[in-house]
Amino acid sequence: MQITINGEQQDLPEKCTVLQLLEQLKVSPERIAVEINLTVIDRSVYHATTLNEGDHVEIISFIGGGAHAG
């Protein structure tokens, strides 16, 4: 099946879960957020959330840092 990940088309096997996708991409689930078709997915259900043909997935990485208050 085909889905769009961060704007790029990708082929995946049928019944692929969000967790399987992240494993395939070598992305740690603890440091990202996943949005499917404009809905943020709770990390606790990545293993049970199945992707579907034509889904639009955004994987957002968290970046540490910021201004130091002094």
Side-chain angles (χ1 to χ4, degrees):
M1 80 176 154
Q2 280 208 335
I3 66 169
T4 303
I5 303 172
N6 293 354
E8 295 186 20
Q9 291 281 359
Q10 175 118 6
D11 286 317
L12 293 177
E14 295 290 324
K15 299 182 181 179
C16 182
T17 67
V18 171
L19 186 58
Q20 290 170 328
L21 170 64
L22 296 176
E23 288 170 352
Q24 179 179 325
L25 296 174
K26 296 180 175 52
V27 174
S28 174
E30 294 80 26
R31 303 195 54 103
I32 53 97
V34 176
E35 178 183 282
I36 301 173
N37 302 325
L38 303 178
T39 300
V40 176
I41 306 303
D42 191 294
R43 188 175 292 120
S44 67
V45 295
Y46 284 178
H47 70 285
T49 303
T50 303
L51 297 165
N52 298 300
E53 179 77 31
D55 278 349
H56 289 267
V57 178
E58 293 293 323
I59 300 173
I60 301 123
S61 297
F62 297 120
I63 300 173
H68 175 70

